[in-house]
Amino acid sequence: MKAEEFDAKFENGEDITEFIDLSNAHRPRYEQKRINIDFPIWMIEALEHEAKRLGVTSDSMIKLWLAERLDKKLLLSRIKQ
């Protein structure tokens, strides 16, 4: 398929997934890297309680909270510039 045909299908909202090799696809800067962090037991218990209440994993809670904090920090630093 030529690029023009592919672009036209995409622009028309057609499903183009059959034409894409997703086996090597990745999102830049979203690769995973494992770290180890030690938390006091009370924090782990509170984290597990909140995660259970929301129906998600503790890992997801940590990632969500860190992302929110980092996004807020980045936003504030951009406003100050």
Side-chain angles (χ1 to χ4, degrees), residues 4-35:
E4 294 83 16
E5 294 175 64
F6 182 85
D7 291 344
K9 287 183 179 292
F10 177 79
E11 296 291 332
N12 292 329
E14 296 179 39
D15 183 8
I16 56 169
T17 54
E18 67 181 281
F19 307 110
I20 302 173
D21 177 14
L22 299 174
S23 63
N24 293 320
H26 69 280
R27 294 178 65 191
R29 297 182 48 169
Y30 281 84
E31 295 87 2
Q32 300 287 316
K33 181 177 180 179
R34 182 169 302 276
I35 63 168

Side-chain angles (χ1 to χ4, degrees), residues 22-81:
L22 299 174
S23 63
N24 293 320
H26 69 280
R27 294 178 65 191
R29 297 182 48 169
Y30 281 84
E31 295 87 2
Q32 300 287 316
K33 181 177 180 179
R34 182 169 302 276
I35 63 168
N36 294 317
I37 303 174
D38 296 324
F39 292 110
I41 292 173
W42 71 266
M43 280 188 180
I44 294 171
E45 290 172 349
L47 175 67
E48 289 172 345
H49 174 77
E50 186 65 9
K52 185 176 181 181
R53 186 181 74 79
L54 296 173
V56 298
T57 65
S58 298
D59 286 4
S60 295
M61 289 298 309
I62 293 169
K63 290 175 191 176
L64 175 65
W65 287 342
L66 282 172
E68 287 174 352
R69 182 64 181 245
L70 292 170
D71 283 348
K72 190 180 296 184
K73 185 175 181 178
L74 289 171
L75 178 62
L76 290 174
S77 68
R78 289 180 183 151
I79 290 172
K80 291 178 182 177
Q81 292 176 355

